[in-house]
Amino acid sequence: MAPGAYDAVSARLVQRAGFPAIYMTGFGATASRIGMPDIGLLTQTEMTTHARDMVRAVDIPVIADADTGYGGPSNIHRTVREYVQAGVAAIHLEDQVAPKRCGQLAGIRLMGAEESARRLRCAVEARGHDDLLIIGRTDALPAAGIDEAVSRAVRYQDAGVDLVFVDGIKKIAEVEAVARAVAGPKVVSIVDGNETTALSAADLQQMGFQVVFYAVTALFSAVKAVSDALAELQRAGTPRGAAHGMVSYAQYCELVDLPFHQQLDERHGA
């Protein structure tokens, strides 16, 4: 289970909740950095900087969205090397034509399957001997149907990726179809608001998935909580009524590791 984190603080919350990994979602990164939709607006530098900041904040593995690789083979090579230096555990690269968009949106355009496989081989080569997992993502399901999505997933496995990821799943039947047709290590994304949330992590593991992303759960929860608190502040002219939904100042300081820095200052400060 790898819940999505949209910034370094939410990454700390994922770690504190006891999950084994964090998913640095491009959807959430775009929301937290520029407050705009996930339609390919962030650059490679913005995404790798976001990943580096998140990795610094936690001790558990971070799986990062690397979009389309941000260009041709040389761009893909640089993208992989930048993510290696950022310290992430894994990245996924997708087969959309730039500018890409969230896999849950309509209007996705695909690059050719063989071209995408070549790009993934480039990423695997760029990784070299470094400890980075490469996930081959296909967005063919909403754009071209389940048969094409499965065909591409198998092709990407043959290209040498470590796991494959069929994105854009909205129905339980689609999860089941991928589970039946794609052997080997694979990822599934469970998106809030879709019927797939009826499947537990144990169900998905039994179906043969190794990693489950919950990309927007934390982001959507945070937006709702902040909206409710601000509405109460606007209504009452005081935040007192919203206090039950907040952490305390002391709890927040503990989350961001203030005691460590206080002790450091006591030992070495002026």
Side-chain angles (χ1 to χ4, degrees), residues 42 76 92 119 131 133 177 216 221:
L42 290 191
I76 293 170
H92 66 68
R119 293 164 66 85
D131 188 17
L133 296 178
V216 297
S221 299

Side-chain angles (χ1 to χ4, degrees), residues 104-153:
Q104 296 287 312
L105 295 176
I108 288 171
R109 295 179 300 132
L110 300 172
M111 66 179 67
E114 180 51 35
E115 178 187 1
S116 183
R118 289 198 306 270
R119 293 164 66 85
L120 290 170
R121 285 193 286 270
C122 177
V124 171
E125 179 181 308
R127 181 226 353 237
H129 298 293
D130 285 295
D131 188 17
L132 175 76
L133 296 178
I134 305 291
I135 302 168
R137 166 178 153 176
T138 179
D139 289 86
L141 177 59
I146 187 65
D147 291 341
E148 179 65 15
V150 166
S151 173
R152 285 180 177 237

Side-chain angles (χ1 to χ4, degrees), residues 90-269:
I91 61 171
H92 66 68
L93 291 157
E94 62 205 60
D95 55 6
Q96 292 190 41
V97 174
K100 57 85 61 183
R101 59 182 60 204
C102 169
Q104 296 287 312
L105 295 176
I108 288 171
R109 295 179 300 132
L110 300 172
M111 66 179 67
E114 180 51 35
E115 178 187 1
S116 183
R118 289 198 306 270
R119 293 164 66 85
L120 290 170
R121 285 193 286 270
C122 177
V124 171
E125 179 181 308
R127 181 226 353 237
H129 298 293
D130 285 295
D131 188 17
L132 175 76
L133 296 178
I134 305 291
I135 302 168
R137 166 178 153 176
T138 179
D139 289 86
L141 177 59
I146 187 65
D147 291 341
E148 179 65 15
V150 166
S151 173
R152 285 180 177 237
V154 173
R155 184 187 290 259
Y156 300 165
Q157 288 174 325
D158 292 341
V161 300
D162 301 290
L163 301 97
V164 289
F165 172 22
V166 176
D167 199 15
I169 286 176
K170 297 182 178 180
K171 298 180 179 180
I172 292 174
E174 293 168 341
V175 178
E176 294 170 337
V178 172
R180 285 193 304 268
V182 181
K186 50 190 172 285
V187 178
V188 65
S189 180
I190 301 300
V191 177
D192 300 81
N194 293 341
E195 67 177 51
T196 57
T197 57
L199 297 171
S200 70
D203 295 331
L204 295 163
Q205 184 176 30
Q206 188 171 29
M207 292 166 72
F209 293 95
Q210 277 66 41
V211 180
V212 186
F213 293 155
Y214 299 91
V216 297
T217 302
L219 175 63
F220 287 2
S221 299
V223 169
K224 177 66 164 61
V226 172
S227 296
D228 288 350
L230 292 175
E232 174 62 17
L233 176 60
Q234 172 69 3
R235 183 196 67 79
T238 170
R240 184 171 55 186
H244 67 280
M246 300 181 188
V247 297
S248 68
Y249 193 90
Q251 288 171 323
Y252 177 79
C253 289
E254 186 274 330
L255 172 65
V256 296
D257 211 10
L258 178 61
F260 166 80
H261 296 281
Q262 290 174 323
Q263 292 166 14
L264 197 66
D265 190 62
E266 286 173 5
R267 294 197 305 272
H268 305 294

Side-chain angles (χ1 to χ4, degrees), residues 53-117:
D53 291 343
M54 197 174 287
V55 168
R56 288 193 187 109
V58 296
D59 300 315
I60 60 175
V62 174
I63 304 167
D65 187 345
D67 294 320
T68 61
Y70 310 101
S74 294
N75 302 90
I76 293 170
H77 186 279
R78 184 189 170 204
T79 295
V80 170
R81 298 314 307 168
E82 290 285 344
Y83 273 114
V84 166
Q85 291 172 21
V88 302
I91 61 171
H92 66 68
L93 291 157
E94 62 205 60
D95 55 6
Q96 292 190 41
V97 174
K100 57 85 61 183
R101 59 182 60 204
C102 169
Q104 296 287 312
L105 295 176
I108 288 171
R109 295 179 300 132
L110 300 172
M111 66 179 67
E114 180 51 35
E115 178 187 1
S116 183

